Amino acid sequence: MQLDLGPDHRTEILRRMHGRLIERFGRVIRPADKRRDPMWVLVQGVIGARAKTAVSNANTDRLIAEYGSWERVAEAPVEQLRAHLQTATFPAMAAERLKACLSEIIARCGKASLEHLEPMETAEAMDWLETLPGVARKISAGIMNTSGFNRSALVLDSGHRRVVQRMGLVPAKADTTRAYDELMPLIPPEWSAEDLDEHHLLGKRLAQTICRPKRPDCPSCPVRADCETRAVSC
């Protein structure tokens, strides 16, 4: 018989973390009209490896404006797509992955659409997405959470993951998938999909401004009291 050990203390750390990040950075709420179509979010993720969000957004908007549909993007030669993605960090890789991903969706679904995911449970939909070329956990969670699906899935980029690793919320060597699997059961039950979106955006901002890869500014960190590595890294 398993003993009920009660709630995990890390859930309360997440609550405190969220509140302190709001105190430091203010609210970061994504307006409803900024939630894009799931296919747009997928494309933005596939072409956005190591690129700034604004660059990936602009490239995604440019592609759909130029071609008119994701089916026509899939039909375009890789070299033509590469020319449209010159501002991406890895344009050749982005073009190849995008064409492969869109072609696979069309082969399975008959069109470039993710509408068939709507009736699926979130975990099932994410599993389906992660069988596509170029789609891993960060992208699948982003499609579920930040698009019109508006599901409870926590997006973790490398910076946000670094924060929760340093805090001791997930193992230090956890990749994005393992970090996600560790954190989701700890999410406060009262958090909505919008709260998860805001938590990611706040965690990302903390990683960019204070909890940097090198020389983190621990003395000014709003979540320092709950960080396990503050004494080591500072």
Side-chain angles (χ1 to χ4, degrees):
M1 184 177 69
Q2 274 191 325
L3 293 176
D4 183 1
L5 301 178
D8 194 303
H9 73 286
R10 293 174 293 176
T11 297
E12 189 56 39
I13 290 176
L14 284 171
R15 285 194 183 98
R16 288 198 298 269
M17 175 185 180
H18 195 69
R20 288 167 181 165
L21 291 177
I22 289 173
E23 289 175 2
R24 173 61 63 90
F25 300 116
R27 302 305 300 262
V28 187
I29 306 296
R30 190 187 304 271
D33 62 356
K34 295 298 183 183
R35 289 189 175 276
R36 304 276 200 147
D37 175 80
M39 280 298 302
W40 188 98
V41 179
L42 178 141
V43 171
Q44 193 267 3
V46 169
I47 67 175
R50 296 181 182 272
K52 291 184 177 180
T53 300
V55 172
S56 300
N57 289 352
N59 280 335
T60 307
D61 285 337
R62 189 180 306 113
L63 282 170
I64 194 63
E66 175 72 21
Y67 290 96
S69 72
W70 299 121
E71 286 83 2
R72 290 189 62 193
V73 174
E75 293 169 358
V78 169
E79 284 305 312
Q80 190 177 104
L81 294 177
R82 180 179 179 178
H84 283 290
L85 295 171
Q86 283 306 303
T87 56
T89 304
F90 303 110
M93 181 181 73
E96 290 171 3
R97 285 184 175 177
L98 177 59
K99 186 174 179 66
C101 186
L102 292 176
S103 298
E104 182 68 17
I105 293 171
I106 294 167
R108 295 188 198 181
C109 304
K111 57 183 177 178
S113 171
L114 298 177
E115 62 187 19
H116 69 286
L117 300 180
E118 183 64 49
M120 293 186 187
E121 294 291 333
T122 300
E124 181 187 5
M126 290 173 64
D127 285 343
W128 189 92
L129 287 165
E130 289 172 25
T131 64
L132 297 172
V135 177
R137 185 58 52 88
K138 176 190 170 186
I139 296 175
S140 68
I143 294 167
M144 287 290 104
N145 181 248
T146 69
S147 77
F149 285 138
N150 196 26
R151 302 282 189 88
S152 291
L154 180 62
V155 181
L156 283 172
D157 64 6
S158 59
H160 191 181
R161 190 181 76 224
R162 179 174 67 250
V163 170
V164 294
Q165 286 172 329
R166 285 176 172 173
M167 292 182 70
L169 295 172
V170 302
K173 295 186 181 297
D175 62 11
T176 299
T177 299
R178 184 179 176 190
Y180 177 93
D181 290 342
E182 289 268 350
L183 282 174
M184 282 304 295
L186 307 176
I187 297 300
E190 70 275 11
W191 282 13
S192 64
E194 290 85 357
D195 291 325
L196 284 168
D197 185 23
E198 181 178 37
H199 191 71
H200 166 63
L201 295 172
L202 288 168
K204 182 177 179 179
R205 187 167 298 181
L206 178 67
Q208 292 171 337
T209 60
I210 295 174
C211 194
R212 299 180 293 267
K214 297 180 180 179
R215 301 178 65 184
D217 185 11
C218 297
S220 69
C221 180
V223 298
R224 185 170 187 256
D226 284 315
C227 183
E228 288 189 357
T229 61
R230 63 188 184 277
V232 176
S233 59
C234 303

